[in-house]
Amino acid sequence: MHFNQTNHHKINILVVDDTPDNLRLLSAMLTAQGFEVRKALNGKMALTACQMVLPDVILLDINMPDMDGYQVCQQLKADDKTCEVPVIFISALDDVVDKVKAFDVGGVDYIAKPFHGVEVVLRIENQINLRLLQVKLQEKNLLLQQALDNLQASQVKQIQNEKMVALGQLVAGLAHEINNPISFIYGNLQYAGQYVQDLVNMIEVYQHEYPKPTPKIQQIAKNIDLNFIIKDLQNLIDAMYRGSDRIREIVRALQHFSRHDEAEMKRVNIHEDIENTLVMLQHRLRETADHPAIVVVKDYGNLPLVTCYAGELNQVFMHLLNNAIDAIEEGVGNQSFTPDLLSTPQIQIHTEVTDLNMVKIAIADNGTGIEESLRSRLFDPFFTTKPVGKGSGLGLSISYQIIVQKHRGQITCTSSVGRAEFAIEIPIEQPQR
């Protein structure tokens, strides 16, 4: 009975035995059955032979000097290159063999000497067929994993697109609605201020012309503290100017951040985008019950205008800065800051042009840091370390897609105890697609 080669691959068998007669016998028997046979007289030669050409099956004698079959098998299984090769142990029928140990170290079968040709071939065929089934199963599992990854990526992309469209429409509508009344207020504050000043001037003239008002006027002036009102009116007008100006600034930042109807790539000032994102996050940077005021340290390089999808890049900045603030709040809550950092939670933003003509934006925080075991999964869809209800596991995955797939750049994370840094690198000019 000859064993037919599968997929035009001649089955390669490595026979390891310190007895030359056994090697010759097995080699002749298996060669006659259509196998390609290689021989090794000891364990060291066997390990070298496996590194040179990976066998499909190994017939391994147990009782050998220097390195017995158990030790050889253990080394084979410890090596990623050879760990999947089936090992069939062989030994004389009257030898004392620890079969439990043979299987414990990774053997898949056992053959006793003297050999019966049909039995040897059948056992080899069984292991080859099992190995083929394992390979097919691994291939199917890989295809299933790829299909799952593609599905998750599609879900993330769809969610991201929907969020961007919804965000753009919401922010544009909100900014438009706020812009009209605030423009009216801001525009009329100038006239209101002038009218108030005119009235104050008139009162002061009355006080000068009539230094002795009637008792009723004196009483009213005392009740309302007229002198204080006159002094404080200008402060009130100035405060209203500052407040309305702040609202106008936020509205501009909203419009800039969302970049509604700007789906195409365009040249933008990255620093301006970062600043507008920070305006959106001022409420989280101020001192709260959860943390002291967070200091933003900016180390901006000399950046040219960068060709990018500005609205989506802003979304990445928002995700990374929000995560940095979350880490600081968690660090304060866990009392994990060192004393010198406790009073100054900090976010550092560094930008530069790299030697590869890329723009690098690094955002670091002195929060809790990120464990090494988690960093490999940070950009997986739906993976989050935050409590239920605090995070969807989409922020970093969306950021990864925007930077890597849409801008052909890279995003990485480095961390140590009490520090985490996310670094983005994108080309200054996007290549033609």
Side-chain angles (χ1 to χ4, degrees), residues 56 96 99 133 144 164 167 178 183 217 219 231 242 260 266 272 282 293 308 358 370 399-401 419:
D56 295 297
V96 177
K99 292 185 180 179
L133 288 173
L144 285 171
M164 285 301 293
L167 176 67
I178 295 173
S183 295
I217 292 174
Q219 186 60 44
K231 290 178 182 177
R242 289 195 301 273
H260 186 50
K266 62 182 295 185
E272 190 177 326
Q282 280 301 313
C308 63
M358 306 274 278
I370 302 169
S399 298
Y400 182 90
Q401 287 201 1
R419 177 182 168 83

Side-chain angles (χ1 to χ4, degrees), residues 310-426:
E312 296 186 23
L313 198 59
N314 285 343
Q315 195 179 1
V316 174
F317 296 150
M318 179 66 83
H319 284 312
L320 297 184
L321 288 166
N322 260 322
N323 282 349
I325 295 169
D326 288 342
I328 287 172
E329 288 180 350
E330 186 181 346
V332 173
N334 294 341
Q335 296 181 334
S336 61
F337 283 1
T338 54
D340 60 317
L341 292 178
L342 182 59
S343 57
T344 55
Q346 206 174 88
I347 293 174
Q348 297 172 332
I349 305 175
H350 170 81
T351 64
E352 64 176 73
V353 176
T354 70
D355 294 338
L356 299 176
N357 209 31
M358 306 274 278
V359 166
K360 179 179 179 180
I361 304 106
I363 297 175
D365 65 79
N366 59 356
T368 54
I370 302 169
E371 293 179 19
E372 186 176 354
S373 60
L374 301 177
R375 290 206 289 276
S376 63
R377 301 183 61 194
L378 283 178
F379 302 107
D380 291 352
F382 310 108
F383 175 75
T384 180
T385 59
K386 295 176 182 177
V388 175
K390 292 290 186 181
S392 64
L394 287 174
L396 288 178
S397 181
I398 287 172
S399 298
Y400 182 90
Q401 287 201 1
I402 290 171
I403 298 300
V404 176
Q405 297 177 11
K406 198 129 189 183
H407 288 89
R408 302 187 182 188
Q410 59 182 5
I411 179 170
T412 56
C413 173
T414 55
S415 183
S416 56
V417 177
R419 177 182 168 83
E421 177 181 290
F422 284 88
I424 300 164
E425 290 188 32
I426 58 173

Side-chain angles (χ1 to χ4, degrees), residues 138-205:
Q138 288 171 349
E139 288 173 352
K140 286 181 179 178
N141 286 340
L142 181 61
L143 290 173
L144 285 171
Q145 186 61 50
Q146 288 174 342
L148 178 61
D149 291 343
N150 290 338
L151 178 61
Q152 288 184 327
S154 298
Q155 286 177 320
V156 170
K157 188 171 181 62
Q158 184 179 359
I159 292 168
Q160 174 210 340
N161 290 339
E162 289 175 355
K163 284 177 71 174
M164 285 301 293
V165 170
L167 176 67
Q169 291 173 342
L170 174 66
V171 169
L174 186 63
H176 178 75
E177 290 301 317
I178 295 173
N179 206 37
N180 286 336
I182 199 60
S183 295
F184 175 80
I185 293 169
Y186 189 82
N188 283 300
L189 268 175
Q190 179 181 353
Y191 301 109
Q194 186 60 53
Y195 297 159
V196 166
Q197 189 59 51
D198 289 343
L199 291 172
V200 167
N201 291 341
M202 176 66 82
I203 291 170
E204 288 175 344
V205 169

Side-chain angles (χ1 to χ4, degrees), residues 252-271:
R252 283 196 300 268
L254 280 167
Q255 291 171 323
H256 191 95
F257 176 79
S258 69
R259 292 187 181 268
H260 186 50
D261 295 332
E262 292 184 21
E264 295 304 315
M265 218 177 254
K266 62 182 295 185
R267 291 164 67 84
V268 301
N269 183 326
I270 292 292
H271 294 153

